[in-house]
Amino acid sequence: GYRVFQEQKVGFQDWVTGCKWQKDTGSKEFIMEYLQELGYIGLFIGSFLAATVIPFSAEILLIGMLVAGGDPLITFLTATSGNSLGSLTSYGMGYLGRWEWIEKWFHVSREKLERQKSRIDRYGPLLAMLCWLPFIGDVFAIGLGFYKLNFFKCFTFIVLGKALRFGVWVVLYVLYGQSFIDFIMQYI
């Protein structure tokens, strides 16, 4: 697992620089490098922001931290808590119901949120398990708050969904190490 990368001295910056999406996005690279310098605090902040207003991948940060030699359990807990709090922030923005904030910071229109009403009515807080999905997850979190679904149930399912998501990534990394990295590098 991660000890291989410690011995090879492969760093987070090498990992981020090697990602295909980085080749065209200097500002994202700067953000990723800055967050990496902050260690676990950077992972927490990046995971939080990835679930709210900044469109980048928390998985890249998670794998980068593991590649740089981060402890799998601490990395998992840090990414899960940051990303969960990010979704809960989206829930809170929805709960407040201030459209100018929702549209400005989350780029979610009233029409888009109203289209999700039937799913929210049908699945209720269980929908919170899907808040990790790109693009639509933010809409779900905002909608759950906007329609005032039970906070504690939503909180539980948001954390469960995020934990399952990051848990899969960490387990695959720990089990397969470099083979897993080589595989995912083909797609990012």
Side-chain angles (χ1 to χ4, degrees), residues 167-178:
V168 166
W169 283 92
V170 170
V171 167
L172 288 172
Y173 177 78
V174 168
L175 290 176
Y176 299 106
Q178 185 62 44

Side-chain angles (χ1 to χ4, degrees), residues 9 26 37 63 88 93 107 109 119 141 173 177 179 184-185:
K9 306 240 186 297
E37 289 175 12
I63 295 298
L88 290 170
M93 292 295 283
H107 307 290
S109 67
R119 286 188 185 98
Y173 177 78
S179 299
I184 61 173
M185 287 297 286

Side-chain angles (χ1 to χ4, degrees), residues 89-177:
T89 299
S90 297
Y91 173 95
M93 292 295 283
Y95 192 89
L96 293 174
R98 308 239 359 217
W99 281 112
E100 60 275 5
W101 293 353
I102 292 170
E103 290 177 348
K104 178 179 180 179
W105 294 105
F106 295 92
H107 307 290
V108 175
S109 67
R110 183 182 297 253
E111 295 79 28
K112 185 184 271 187
L113 191 56
E114 289 172 353
R115 284 195 303 266
Q116 300 306 321
K117 175 80 167 109
S118 64
R119 286 188 185 98
I120 291 169
D121 287 342
R122 183 173 180 186
Y123 299 107
L126 283 174
L127 200 57
M129 282 188 66
L130 300 178
C131 286
W132 63 269
L133 291 171
F135 309 112
I136 194 73
D138 294 340
V139 177
F140 289 158
I142 292 167
L144 291 166
F146 184 80
Y147 293 112
K148 313 277 193 265
L149 272 73
N150 182 286
F151 173 79
F152 293 106
K153 288 181 182 178
C154 289
F155 170 81
T156 301
F157 288 118
I158 285 172
V159 172
L160 182 60
K162 304 285 185 167
L164 289 171
R165 165 196 185 190
F166 290 123
V168 166
W169 283 92
V170 170
V171 167
L172 288 172
Y173 177 78
V174 168
L175 290 176
Y176 299 106

Side-chain angles (χ1 to χ4, degrees), residues 1-11 14-15 18 63-64 66-69 169-188:
Y2 72 95
R3 289 190 184 111
V4 172
F5 292 100
Q6 285 179 312
E7 292 166 9
Q8 294 176 358
K9 306 240 186 297
V10 173
D14 298 324
W15 159 253
I63 295 298
L66 293 171
V67 166
W169 283 92
V170 170
V171 167
L172 288 172
Y173 177 78
V174 168
L175 290 176
Y176 299 106
Q178 185 62 44
S179 299
F180 178 61
I181 298 299
D182 292 342
F183 176 76
I184 61 173
M185 287 297 286
Q186 296 174 35
Y187 300 101
I188 57 173

